[in-house]
Amino acid sequence: MTKTHRRRSSRFSYLPKDHPTLLSRALYVTQIFHFGDFKCATLLHEGVKKCLPRVFNQTYRDRLAKFETRHARSKGLGMFARCGIPAGSIILVEHPLLIMPRTSSATVSDISCLLSEVHPKERTEFMNLANSQPLEDPLKAIMQTNRLLIDLPVDDPELAAHHAVFLKISRCNHSCSPNAHWKWDSASFTLTLEAVRDIGPSEEITIQYIDSSVDRQQRLDRLRSWYNFDCLCPSCTLPRKSIIHSDFAREELSHLTELMVSFEAWCASEELSDDYMIRMHQRALELREAEGLQLFESRKHIDAIAMCYGALGDVAMFRYWTKKARSLRAPSYVGGCVVLDQWMMDPRRFPVWGWRNSRRGDVL
């Protein structure tokens, strides 16, 4: 019988050493997490297992379902908005079904063993997920098609990287100009899907499967090679002249990223102008808006611009950009919004207020 340790909203199940699976090989263990009635089956290195918390943080959950799954023409099933979803809103929060190390050579037997530990309903849902490699074994092909790269809290980057499958977000189709983006939180063991721009009712909710900042031909080649489909998203079906313009814009965005320095380096620099970082981030914002590449990066650009104006001691512009930063925070980020409100009311409470001026010896 499996020994179970209960811990509030989650518990660990340790399989006996004689469990009929390849997962009992040296240094790797099978571990089952319970979140209410939902089971998450994982294959973990011993070093990773020791770093995981016994109790996971509670997460924000909106009981009103904002999406539905239905057919998306030639793409199979897709995720669609049931109502208007403002930018910055949380669309879903989801626990993974399966987690496996990125560095291990997972076998079909490994995947089968993990699936045997989850509920039959979720096992059936897994088998019904997209399979972009029909000539491969179904279990391995479904895992490869739907896996996302996540990190678990361990210092060794090789051990930290894992592949995870999530049943709901796996229904999100790809776009090279996605309207949603996901982030992983190991403290709560959840993935959060957020809208990066306003999504209209019945509009399909999309994410990027690859780095979409590269040019169109590279995107098409990678998607064909890794996922076995030709991308027909709006960015890939533009007229030829528009595609050339788009490729140049994405190349400029990559170049801008390389030219940016850290906030601390800019504050201390006598060579860089006061508006150097502001111009860089504003141009990056313009390019992201034009190319539909907001992702979470737009929020970072806006945060950086607000910080720059704070470091320059510019009250009006600091308040303007901090207000924009606040508008992109989801309702669940109550604590963060409270802090931003305090800074807008009294900018001098901003921790690095006037920092660039003071570092250069300027008088505020």
Side-chain angles (χ1 to χ4, degrees):
M1 181 178 293
T2 302
K3 184 178 180 181
T4 301
H5 299 275
R6 295 181 181 275
R7 291 291 189 279
R8 294 183 186 177
S9 61
S10 63
R11 70 178 187 267
F12 303 103
S13 296
Y14 302 97
L15 299 181
K17 293 183 179 179
D18 58 352
H19 192 274
T21 170
L22 297 180
L23 298 180
S24 59
R25 58 179 173 259
L27 299 180
Y28 287 91
V29 295
T30 304
Q31 197 157 340
I32 313 301
F33 297 89
H34 293 240
F35 300 95
D37 294 331
F38 184 83
K39 288 184 179 182
C40 168
T42 69
L43 170 62
L44 301 176
H45 188 279
E46 284 280 5
V48 174
K49 187 191 74 171
K50 296 175 182 177
C51 296
L52 294 180
R54 283 286 177 170
V55 179
F56 294 104
N57 293 344
Q58 296 297 315
T59 57
Y60 167 86
R61 292 185 182 277
D62 190 340
R63 295 185 179 183
L64 177 62
K66 296 179 181 177
F67 66 92
E68 61 183 357
T69 301
R70 53 185 169 87
H71 286 284
R73 299 182 179 177
S74 61
K75 296 184 287 186
L77 293 176
M79 182 184 289
F80 293 83
R82 298 182 62 181
C83 56
I85 305 176
S89 298
I90 292 177
I91 301 172
L92 71 85
V93 178
E94 181 179 14
H95 292 292
L97 179 72
L98 304 180
I99 295 180
M100 307 189 81
R102 184 187 185 188
T103 54
S104 72
S105 54
T107 66
V108 173
S109 297
D110 293 339
I111 301 171
S112 178
C113 175
L114 291 184
L115 282 175
S116 70
E117 295 299 320
V118 304
H119 293 300
K121 177 177 176 293
E122 280 79 29
R123 189 157 58 243
T124 300
E125 286 187 52
F126 176 88
M127 296 304 300
N128 287 331
L129 292 177
N131 178 354
S132 64
Q133 303 165 39
L135 297 181
E136 294 276 352
D137 180 274
L139 289 181
K140 189 172 183 179
I142 292 172
M143 183 77 189
Q144 291 179 347
T145 301
N146 297 278
R147 66 192 182 188
L148 296 177
L149 183 62
I150 64 170
D151 283 335
L152 294 181
V154 60
D155 292 335
D156 187 340
E158 288 295 320
L159 292 180
H162 287 71
H163 285 134
V165 172
F166 300 81
L167 293 177
K168 293 178 182 177
I169 198 174
S170 290
R171 293 305 184 186
C172 281
N173 286 313
H174 167 83
S175 173
C176 296
S177 300
N179 55 23
H181 195 59
W182 61 269
K183 62 181 179 181
W184 165 254
D185 176 36
S186 59
S188 61
F189 232 57
T190 57
L191 172 147
T192 299
L193 182 67
E194 288 188 20
V196 295
R197 59 175 179 271
D198 293 344
I199 301 176
S202 298
E203 182 179 349
E204 186 173 8
I205 299 170
T206 56
I207 59 174
Q208 63 172 10
Y209 292 179
I210 59 169
D211 176 10
S212 296
S213 64
V214 298
D215 64 61
R216 177 178 179 267
Q217 192 57 55
Q218 289 188 69
R219 301 197 305 270
L220 291 176
D221 290 344
R222 292 177 187 180
L223 289 168
R224 286 169 185 156
S225 174
W226 299 347
Y227 295 98
N228 197 30
F229 72 84
D230 291 320
C231 186
L232 298 176
C233 76
S235 294
C236 288
T237 53
L238 292 168
R240 178 169 176 74
K241 288 185 178 181
S242 297
I243 288 175
I244 294 174
H245 179 79
S246 174
D247 286 348
F248 275 120
R250 295 183 188 226
E251 182 179 359
E252 182 185 353
L253 183 59
S254 297
H255 185 56
L256 278 174
T257 303
E258 295 173 359
L259 292 176
M260 289 180 184
V261 298
S262 70
F263 174 77
E264 292 77 8
W266 169 76
C267 280
S269 174
E270 295 182 357
E271 289 77 25
L272 298 177
S273 65
D274 283 352
D275 66 347
Y276 177 83
M277 290 293 285
I278 294 171
R279 287 187 290 105
M280 288 286 184
H281 285 288
Q282 285 182 326
R283 179 55 180 162
L285 267 177
E286 292 172 2
L287 292 170
R288 289 190 179 280
E289 290 289 334
E291 292 300 308
L293 287 175
Q294 291 90 346
L295 306 176
F296 287 139
E297 303 306 316
S298 288
R299 183 187 301 170
K300 293 178 182 178
H301 293 310
I302 292 172
D303 288 350
I305 295 171
M307 289 178 65
C308 288
Y309 278 118
L312 291 170
D314 189 324
V315 174
M317 295 306 292
F318 174 75
R319 283 175 170 159
Y320 174 81
W321 285 97
T322 301
K323 184 177 181 180
K324 288 179 71 72
R326 190 194 189 287
S327 69
L328 291 179
R329 262 59 180 183
S332 61
Y333 302 140
V334 178
C337 290
V338 169
V339 172
L340 293 179
D341 288 340
Q342 291 173 349
W343 290 346
M344 283 190 287
M345 185 175 298
D346 182 3
R348 285 167 180 79
R349 296 180 67 177
F350 181 57
V352 293
W353 182 258
W355 203 16
R356 179 170 165 86
N357 294 336
S358 62
R359 282 197 166 193
R360 297 179 309 176
D362 293 355
V363 178
L364 290 178

